[in-house]
């Protein structure tokens, strides 16, 4: 049986499937991984992304932080792709219990997924650091320089920066879902960014599926490896309604 037929069979049999995804899930929606330094990047910024997207840098040089954030992390016109839609369909069908994501773009929810655990937060939630007032992503996108609340406080995106802790409750929930999963599908992540690799250790089943274009440190642990683009690999789970919505 080829790898995709095997995945299809496991998904048909699965009752508690969990998906864990990274930046590669959104690249097919034209959202580049902000960690991948391109030529343009090197001309535009004096520091590596890990420095700019850190808590201390955010406090020290907020203007530069928000310049990077708007250019490299906010893609408000992006649309869900086949992978997002297929996962939402599997949840509706009662097969998939949760999506755990390292992405901050909200595309799983835009596709219709309900149980989405965002390990690194979301660009769609922004709050004033002084009074706690909520602002949407468009407000941050359209603000000049550092986005300011009407009270004068800085509006901070609810995105986990380097040097900041992950939300404990979200992490605990992710661990629970993974522990109870019968099939764990991991896609679009090189499994090198914390806490991805550690989380997968909680899976004790024998149906760990890795969908990634290149090799990962977890390949030897996987029960099935698919090297196709993730939209192609999961595309077989789209239903007629999804395909109609994509036209
Ligand atoms: Zn305020």
């Amino acid at each position: 049986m080829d790898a995709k037929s095997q995945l299809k069979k496991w998904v048909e049999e699965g009752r508690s499937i969990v998906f864990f995804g990274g930046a590669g899930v959104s690249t097919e929606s034209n959202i580049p991984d902000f960690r991948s330094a391109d030529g343009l990047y090197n001309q535009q910024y004096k520091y590596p992304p890990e420095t700019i997207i850190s808590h201390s840098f955010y406090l020290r040089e907020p203007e530069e932080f928000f310049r990077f954030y708007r250019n490299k992390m906010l893609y408000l016109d992006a649309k869900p792709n086949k992978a997002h839609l297929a996962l939402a369909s599997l949840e509706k069908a009662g097969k998939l219990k949760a999506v755990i994501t390292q992405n901050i773009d909200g595309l799983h929810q835009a596709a219709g997924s309900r149980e989405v655990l965002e390990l690194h937060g979301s660009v769609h939630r922004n709050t004033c650091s002084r009074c706690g007032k909520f602002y949407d992503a468009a407000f941050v996108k359209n603000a000049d320089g550092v986005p300011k609340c009407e009270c004068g406080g800085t509006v901070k995106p609810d995105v986990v920066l380097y040097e900041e802790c992950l939300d404990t409750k979200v992490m605990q929930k992710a661990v629970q879902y993974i522990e109870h999963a019968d099939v764990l599908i991991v896609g679009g992540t090189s499994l090198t960014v914390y806490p991805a690799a550690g989380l997968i250790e909680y899976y004790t089943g024998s149906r760990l599926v890795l969908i990634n274009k290149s090799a990962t440190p977890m390949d030897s642990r996987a029960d099935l490896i698919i090297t196709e683009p993730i939209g192609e690999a999961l595309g077989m789970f789209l239903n007629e309604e999804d395909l109609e919505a994509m036209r």
Side-chain angles (χ1 to χ4, degrees):
M1 198 184 290
D2 66 60
K4 271 174 81 175
S5 309
Q6 182 70 71
L7 173 61
K8 190 159 189 265
K9 182 167 178 281
W10 285 354
V11 166
E12 277 163 10
E13 292 169 0
R15 292 172 174 278
S16 187
I17 303 169
V18 171
F19 178 81
F20 180 99
V25 176
S26 288
T27 47
E28 289 171 39
S29 292
N30 295 318
I31 300 183
D33 184 353
F34 68 84
R35 288 176 206 86
S36 59
D38 52 26
L40 197 62
Y41 168 83
N42 289 318
Q43 289 165 20
Q44 281 184 8
Y45 300 94
K46 281 190 287 180
Y47 306 96
E50 288 79 7
T51 302
I52 302 177
I53 304 302
S54 70
H55 186 76
S56 50
F57 191 90
Y58 166 80
L59 294 176
R60 201 169 61 237
E61 293 194 45
E63 293 267 355
E64 187 64 358
F65 170 89
F66 278 105
R67 188 166 77 91
F68 180 91
Y69 180 78
R70 281 193 196 94
N71 286 335
K72 295 284 179 183
M73 298 173 78
L74 270 188
Y75 292 89
L76 301 184
D77 297 329
K79 299 274 183 293
N81 61 51
K82 283 187 211 167
H84 296 110
L85 293 166
L87 290 165
S89 282
L90 290 175
E91 184 186 26
K92 264 186 221 118
K95 296 205 150 282
L96 184 109
K97 295 300 172 205
V99 168
I100 303 165
T101 181
Q102 297 177 286
N103 298 339
I104 56 174
D105 50 44
L107 288 182
H108 285 293
Q109 291 92 332
S113 283
R114 302 180 68 145
E115 186 68 345
V116 182
L117 303 180
E118 297 170 307
L119 299 177
H120 294 162
S122 171
V123 300
H124 297 287
R125 296 186 299 268
N126 306 274
T127 46
C128 170
S129 335
R130 190 182 293 171
C131 75
K133 187 174 176 197
F134 181 91
Y135 289 90
D136 64 12
F139 175 84
V140 175
K141 180 88 185 169
N142 298 326
D144 250 344
V146 180
K148 291 289 182 187
C149 176
E150 52 199 19
C151 82
T154 298
V155 176
K156 186 177 187 289
D158 181 12
V159 165
V160 180
L161 305 179
Y162 288 93
E163 301 162 2
E164 290 180 344
C165 297
L166 299 182
D167 186 308
T168 317
K169 280 196 188 126
V170 176
M171 276 295 279
Q172 282 170 350
K173 243 177 144 177
V175 167
Q176 274 174 10
Y177 275 120
I178 289 173
E179 279 177 340
H180 294 109
D182 50 13
V183 182
L184 177 61
I185 305 173
V186 179
T189 167
S190 56
L191 290 169
T192 49
V193 179
Y194 173 83
L199 267 177
I200 287 161
E201 294 293 338
Y202 288 95
Y203 178 66
T204 52
S206 53
R207 292 182 171 187
L208 173 60
V209 184
L210 285 189
I211 306 172
N212 210 45
K213 282 187 246 178
S214 50
T216 79
M218 298 295 278
D219 281 9
S220 58
R221 168 86 172 71
D223 302 296
L224 184 64
I225 294 176
I226 297 178
T227 50
E228 278 180 58
I230 190 152
E232 296 304 312
L234 296 181
M236 62 180 160
F237 301 115
L238 290 168
N239 59 35
E240 275 306 309
E241 222 172 281
D242 298 324
L243 294 168
E244 191 60 41
M246 290 183 72
R247 280 182 199 119

